Amino acid sequence: MVSEVLNGVRLPQCGDGRADSEEDQLAILTELIAQTLCERNPGFKEVLERGGHQQVTRLIENVLRSGNPLPDKVRAVMLRSDTDIHLVASALGDCLVSAPGEAPGLLIPASLADGKEGRARLKGVLRHRAAVVGHAVSPHEATASVRAASRLLDLACVHDGPEAGVVFVDDHLSSLLLLQDESLTHTLIARRLSPLAGLTPERCERLEATLLAWLSGMGAPEVAKALSIHPQTVRYRMRQLEKLFGARLRDPRTRFEIEMALRSRQLIAGARRRRAAVNRRRPRAAVPRPRTPLPRP
């Protein structure tokens, strides 16, 4: 990324004998940036060797002269595939594109995703693409936005196509926090939901849904409405849950961790269902039919 390149280059100092004027300093810095880009990306070196040196040098100089190489805030946009990624970049305008061999994505000014109009424009440009727009961060923290967007891409967006859409990290912060460490998440689930371990899957699912609604602050009538069941059924299930969990349902910290475990299990199960649905829709490879030997004359 350009931000990493700029951070990795030794800026010319006023006492440098080779840089007596601003133009000399600009020329030296431009060459240093171009050299660093070549070292990090062999494809960039090929561009220079094929006659693009002057054009690239002019572009770097223009960025440096502007005095503002990157916006104050940026967002990562991670894609499932890199098909026509440069057309997407061209449509968005001022953005950086991932290098070949890296996870396909873009780094855009955060303002491009601000407000309803910004989101609508991004959705239009990324139509039929599985894409996730990361949270806004300062340029030197861009990797955090990339990491969060990549994680949500794995959880929510499985493939490109007519059903694909743009998902925003800002709308799923709590989910990402819950699933940022799968090992800890599974440990929490095993520890806090252990009273449900011996139940059948159907009964466990019913009790989990009831308990999660109750922990969200609903009373029996509200839980019944949310789950489309009778209030008396809710009360019956809550008596079962009180027998299973005992005093743990009266401890605020334990109740909070139980809710975290329930929501985490819900998120993991949803991600698995989406992946399974995609696998079912994928066309199976055709099995070649055995050829019938021709009769010999």
Side-chain angles (χ1 to χ4, degrees), residues 103-123:
L106 308 162
L107 196 63
I108 65 172
S111 58
L112 290 183
D114 288 348
K116 292 182 179 179
E117 292 183 2
R119 286 195 170 199
R121 179 171 177 249
L122 277 177
K123 289 178 179 179

Side-chain angles (χ1 to χ4, degrees), residues 59-135:
L59 175 63
I60 295 173
E61 287 181 354
N62 289 339
V63 171
L64 294 174
R65 287 180 191 277
S66 70
N68 187 22
L70 290 174
D72 293 335
K73 296 286 184 179
V74 298
R75 296 178 187 267
V77 179
M78 303 308 295
L79 309 172
R80 177 59 64 198
S81 70
D82 61 358
T83 304
D84 297 330
I85 189 171
H86 289 284
L87 294 180
V88 174
S90 177
L92 292 175
D94 186 17
C95 62
L96 300 176
V97 183
S98 57
E102 294 180 347
L106 308 162
L107 196 63
I108 65 172
S111 58
L112 290 183
D114 288 348
K116 292 182 179 179
E117 292 183 2
R119 286 195 170 199
R121 179 171 177 249
L122 277 177
K123 289 178 179 179
V125 172
L126 298 168
R127 186 168 174 261
H128 293 171
R129 289 178 178 272
V132 173
V133 180
H135 58 304

Side-chain angles (χ1 to χ4, degrees), residues 7 10 15 18 27 52 55 69 136 140 152 155 207 227 255 286 293:
N7 287 334
R10 184 186 69 84
R18 298 183 300 157
Q55 182 181 1
H140 71 274
L152 188 55
L155 291 171
L207 290 181
L227 301 181
R255 282 203 311 268

Side-chain angles (χ1 to χ4, degrees), residues 7 32 35 50 52 55 58 69 72 79 94 104-105 110 126 145 169-170 183 201 240 247 261 270 273 281 283-284 296:
N7 287 334
L32 286 171
Q35 180 181 351
R50 290 175 183 172
Q55 182 181 1
R58 190 183 304 115
D72 293 335
L79 309 172
D94 186 17
L126 298 168
S145 188
V169 165
D170 289 344
S183 176
Q240 289 181 301
R273 284 195 298 270
R281 286 197 295 266
R284 295 183 179 180
R296 293 183 179 182

Side-chain angles (χ1 to χ4, degrees), residues 220-221 223-225 227-237:
V223 173
K225 185 177 180 180
L227 301 181
S228 300
I229 57 178
H230 195 278
Q232 194 60 33
T233 304
V234 175
R235 296 185 183 96
Y236 171 72
R237 290 183 184 176

